Amino acid sequence: MNKSLATALSLAFHPLLVPSYLFYAVCYQLPGVVAQPALSDRWIVLAVVFGFTFLLPALGTGALYWFGRLDSLLLRERAQRPLPLLFAAISFAGATYLLRQPPFALLLGTMMLGMTLAVLLTLLISLRWKISAHGVGVGGSFALFLLLHLTDVAGWASFWWLLAAAFLALAVVSARLALDAHTPAQAWAGLGLGISVVMSLVLGVAFL
């Protein structure tokens, strides 16, 4: 993969943007998956998700850079990642709290909870090892669409989203490797962590 394509994929599927894509797909592209809120009011869901999972973490990272706590906004060094990830985890937790309130469907709050747990685990691992946050994001996305397809709540629509998620997961991991942002172990571990968090959360909810 050439560097230009790898850079474009890395930017387009940045871990802070992936939640907005997922909630858009669930709220607007997969019929029957979400009952509440009504279709006309689902912009509120996207506003909460985009605000808390992209805007606030991005502004927090920018502030850290402005005040000299970060050397680069790219966070290529492991030592640069804990503070931005901590800020993101707090912001994601705020979105989780809001989306677990009525009238939001249980799935929406559960999705956000899984994303928050994934960020927290990425933060903890990053204290010692540079796991791929991009891998975590696309791995979780693949697992979500896999579960939605297996439950057959959205029919064939979920199958095409599953195929797209699988393709993008492999493409994004390949992009991170092409840019030398991670070792193969870090990239695939990120993918595995994202899948594991979603699967573990669903199994936990199922047995509660």
Side-chain angles (χ1 to χ4, degrees), residues 43-116:
W43 65 269
I44 299 172
V45 176
L46 295 189
V48 168
V49 172
F50 186 74
F52 279 82
T53 68
F54 179 74
L55 286 182
L56 286 179
L59 288 173
T61 301
L64 289 170
Y65 177 73
W66 178 265
F67 288 108
R69 301 300 299 271
L70 300 176
D71 296 332
S72 170
L73 292 174
L74 297 178
L75 307 180
R76 291 186 65 90
E77 299 299 323
R78 181 189 59 80
Q80 299 282 299
R81 304 177 80 194
L83 280 177
L85 283 170
L86 177 61
F87 196 93
I90 294 171
S91 189
F92 275 53
T96 299
Y97 173 77
L98 292 175
L99 293 180
R100 288 181 69 83
Q101 307 304 311
F104 299 115
L106 176 62
L107 174 63
L108 300 178
T110 303
M111 284 173 59
M112 200 64 246
L113 176 60
M115 294 173 187
T116 303

Side-chain angles (χ1 to χ4, degrees), residues 195-206:
I195 294 172
S196 299
V197 168
V198 173
M199 295 298 186
S200 298
L201 182 61
V202 169
L203 290 175
V205 170

Side-chain angles (χ1 to χ4, degrees), residues 7-28:
T7 300
L9 283 170
S10 294
L11 292 174
F13 296 97
H14 189 280
L16 296 182
L17 287 172
V18 169
S20 295
Y21 299 154
L22 290 179
F23 276 88
Y24 170 79
V26 168
C27 287
Y28 290 102

